[in-house]
Amino acid sequence: MMCFGSSPPVPLRRGRIDRVTDGSAPHLRDLVLLRRVRDRMDREYAQPLDVEALASGVYMSAGHLSREFKRAYGESPYSYLMTRRIERAMALLRRGDMTVTDVCFAVGCSSLGTFSTRFTELVGVAPSVYRRQAAPAAAEMPPCIAKQVTRPVRNREGLAAQPQLA
């Protein structure tokens, strides 16, 4: 096969394509970076993390990180981090040896009011009520089972799982 143009004809080579440039490479790179951000939140949930700090750690803008994280994982980085913190708080409250205030600060929250509000939204009861009710129940089951059974479910996820009646 020959190419036609102003220069002398050049034969086209047939064979394998070494590199595909369909736009998926940047998307895959972003997924790797988003996984790093998510892993960092899982490891450092008790540290004061914000979107700007997380974004700078993977050389992204905060806006781009937020958009891509939500597209990849279905929730914002802040929501993901708060869910991790609440999960850890639930485990600490099940032990029964820490006050709600101590648990709040141990999981990285700086405001008891915000912690209590988010905890109640995700779990369905206030942290103090959860501590009273969960400690005796958790004593009877292994921690790995307690974690699975008591995993917080966001309101929109819980609503989506319920059947709609006409």
Side-chain angles (χ1 to χ4, degrees):
M1 183 180 256
M2 303 288 283
C3 289
F4 301 98
S6 60
S7 59
V10 177
L12 291 178
R13 293 188 295 180
R14 292 182 186 229
R16 70 183 189 131
I17 299 172
D18 290 335
R19 191 169 161 192
V20 177
T21 57
D22 64 356
S24 64
H27 178 65
L28 292 176
R29 188 187 71 232
D30 280 355
L31 287 176
V32 169
L33 296 176
L34 293 173
R35 180 57 190 242
R36 285 184 191 159
V37 168
R38 197 175 85 171
D39 289 347
R40 181 178 175 194
M41 285 190 279
D42 288 341
R43 273 191 323 273
E44 301 175 16
Y45 65 88
Q47 303 301 318
L49 297 173
D50 59 9
V51 176
E52 290 79 15
L54 294 168
S56 68
V58 291
Y59 307 106
M60 286 185 181
S61 71
H64 183 68
L65 172 65
S66 292
R67 281 187 305 275
E68 293 302 310
F69 193 95
K70 185 163 186 160
R71 189 168 77 170
Y73 298 114
E75 62 184 328
S76 71
Y78 176 77
S79 293
Y80 182 85
L81 179 60
M82 283 306 293
T83 301
R84 292 300 144 261
R85 287 176 172 170
I86 298 302
E87 284 178 348
R88 183 64 183 142
M90 291 170 70
L92 293 173
L93 290 169
R94 279 194 302 271
R95 285 187 357 199
D97 61 345
M98 294 176 75
T99 67
V100 173
T101 304
D102 292 340
V103 168
C104 167
F105 295 121
V107 299
C109 294
S110 57
S111 164
L112 182 59
T114 301
F115 169 76
S116 295
T117 301
R118 297 293 292 175
F119 190 97
T120 304
E121 286 175 0
L122 288 172
V123 179
V125 295
S128 56
V129 173
Y130 182 84
R131 182 176 180 262
R132 267 194 317 272
Q133 294 174 348
E140 299 172 8
M141 71 176 84
C144 59
I145 302 298
K147 183 178 178 182
Q148 289 177 340
V149 171
T150 60
R151 186 176 183 104
V153 177
R154 298 196 166 281
N155 291 337
R156 66 178 182 277
E157 292 169 357
L159 294 174
Q162 295 177 354
Q164 298 296 322
L165 301 175

